[in-house]
Amino acid sequence: MPVDLADYTRLIRDTLKRGRFCCVYVAAVESFCRIGYAEDLNAAVPRLQRSSPSPVTVDSALWVPDKGIAMVVARAVQCDLAPHQKPGGWFDTTADRATVALGIAAFRIYPSAIMVWHNQLIDQWRARGAA
């Protein structure tokens, strides 16, 4: 299920920014996907959309403790998917496959880091009544 950017209320975005959290995301366009990182996911999607003739969806987002971890994990996933790489930073693979690669790379490289998938983050915010 794609990430609903409307889930990221101003309060959630501000809290993530203050905590210096960053996410590694899998964005998809038709049968292609892209792996990247962003401190503000809502700002990243319009930048991707400008270079795409079709609507961009974010299929998954993994929130990590800081930008350094996000950069390393995103690069590792890009290397893992290198056989599927196309020009412009896109990969000819499914978003599901890229999401699995993201989970494996993140927990392989940083097994003790606290990382939270989008759905877990939003569920926790809603459970606390803070969204």
Side-chain angles (χ1 to χ4, degrees):
M1 174 193 270
V3 171
D4 183 358
L5 295 178
D7 287 341
Y8 291 98
T9 63
R10 172 63 63 192
L11 178 60
I12 292 173
R13 292 193 326 260
D14 289 348
T15 302
L16 290 168
K17 185 175 183 175
R18 272 194 313 276
R20 296 182 179 257
F21 293 96
C22 194
C23 75
V24 183
Y25 62 82
V26 175
V29 174
E30 297 169 5
S31 64
F32 296 96
C33 66
R34 186 177 188 127
I35 293 79
Y37 61 91
E39 293 171 304
D40 183 349
L41 189 57
N42 289 53
V45 174
R47 285 193 300 269
L48 289 173
Q49 190 61 63
R50 283 194 292 265
S51 65
S52 173
S54 301
V56 173
T57 60
V58 176
D59 279 53
S60 60
L62 179 64
W63 288 92
V64 300
D66 64 45
K67 186 176 179 179
I69 290 174
M71 291 170 60
V72 170
V73 170
R75 186 68 188 128
V77 176
Q78 292 165 352
C79 288
D80 290 344
L81 297 176
H84 304 282
Q85 191 164 9
K86 298 295 177 196
W90 292 89
F91 295 87
D92 186 10
T93 190
T94 65
D96 287 342
R97 179 179 282 168
T99 297
V100 169
L102 168 56
I104 291 169
F107 294 101
R108 179 186 72 221
I109 299 168
Y110 295 102
S112 61
I114 296 173
M115 297 180 251
V116 181
W117 291 100
H118 162 79
N119 291 338
Q120 293 171 306
L121 175 74
I122 299 304
D123 288 348
Q124 288 175 7
W125 273 88
R126 289 183 178 147
R128 297 168 85 198

